[in-house]
Amino acid sequence: MRFLNKVIFLSFILVVFFAGCSKENDLVYCTAEWKPAFAEFNVVDKQTGEDLFFVDTPRYNTSQIVFFKTSDKLQKDTIRPAIEGSGKTGFFKLALINTVERDTLIMKLPAKGPAQSTDLYIYTIKKTGGDCPQSLLDRSFINGIEITPENGRLIFKK
């Protein structure tokens, strides 16, 4: 009887093992890592083309640029872009909400006096193809004007 139990048990283990190795299942498992889409950009003077942040004598401090969601009426939840690089090679990197196809943010910079300079930043997201699609920045607009990337970065003209 013991021998029969061992044979049945080993047979069951072998069936489970070989069933798990079946090639009928062609599922592809993507990693659970969430990768946000990014907008990499510089802000330049509209007339001179000079960068307003990443130069020897910047017009603004990098902490002075902030973004807000349009739904944040009191503008309490600031979104600050990360800073990549340093000196004249520096740029901003803004993590975008990639669960929506289109979103609008308010970009604020200090202006002369107590006023603030505000701009509307609108972006669209696209999905890559393949088994594990990723979200990427598709198009960007500042105040309704489309921005075409230059050398991989967006140039916001102020």
Side-chain angles (χ1 to χ4, degrees):
M1 185 70 170
R2 276 189 150 159
F3 178 73
L4 185 59
N5 285 342
K6 286 182 182 179
V7 169
I8 291 172
F9 178 74
L10 288 174
S11 299
F12 175 74
I13 295 295
L14 288 173
V15 167
V16 169
F17 176 76
F18 286 113
C21 295
S22 171
K23 291 189 177 187
E24 294 175 17
N25 192 354
D26 289 336
L27 292 178
V28 174
Y29 296 100
C30 297
T31 63
E33 183 180 359
W34 180 72
K35 294 182 180 179
F38 290 99
E40 296 179 350
F41 67 94
N42 288 85
V43 183
V44 301
D45 184 277
K46 190 182 288 187
Q47 280 76 34
T48 65
E50 181 181 20
D51 196 294
L52 299 177
F53 291 92
F54 300 102
V55 290
D56 292 332
T57 55
R59 194 176 306 175
Y60 298 105
N61 185 307
T62 55
S63 66
Q64 292 178 295
I65 187 169
V66 293
F67 288 83
F68 300 95
K69 294 180 181 181
T70 54
S71 61
D72 183 9
K73 301 296 182 200
L74 299 176
Q75 297 183 345
K76 290 189 174 191
D77 296 323
T78 57
I79 302 167
R80 295 199 185 275
I83 299 168
E84 298 284 326
S86 63
K88 293 181 180 180
T89 63
F91 61 94
F92 292 107
K93 189 171 185 177
L94 180 66
L96 304 173
I97 300 169
N98 61 352
T99 56
V100 296
E101 289 183 18
R102 178 185 171 111
D103 200 7
T104 303
L105 298 175
I106 298 168
M107 180 176 81
K108 279 190 151 187
L109 285 172
K112 292 184 179 178
Q116 292 278 328
S117 169
T118 60
D119 298 282
L120 288 180
Y121 173 56
I122 301 169
Y123 64 89
T124 60
I125 298 290
K126 68 179 178 181
K127 299 271 186 196
T128 62
D131 293 326
C132 298
Q134 293 292 321
S135 297
L136 300 173
L137 177 63
D138 184 27
R139 297 171 71 194
S140 291
F141 301 84
I142 286 285
N143 299 324
I145 299 171
E146 186 166 6
I147 309 278
T148 304
E150 297 176 18
N151 298 323
R153 289 194 203 131
L154 301 168
I155 305 297
F156 297 168
K157 296 179 180 177
K158 295 279 305 158

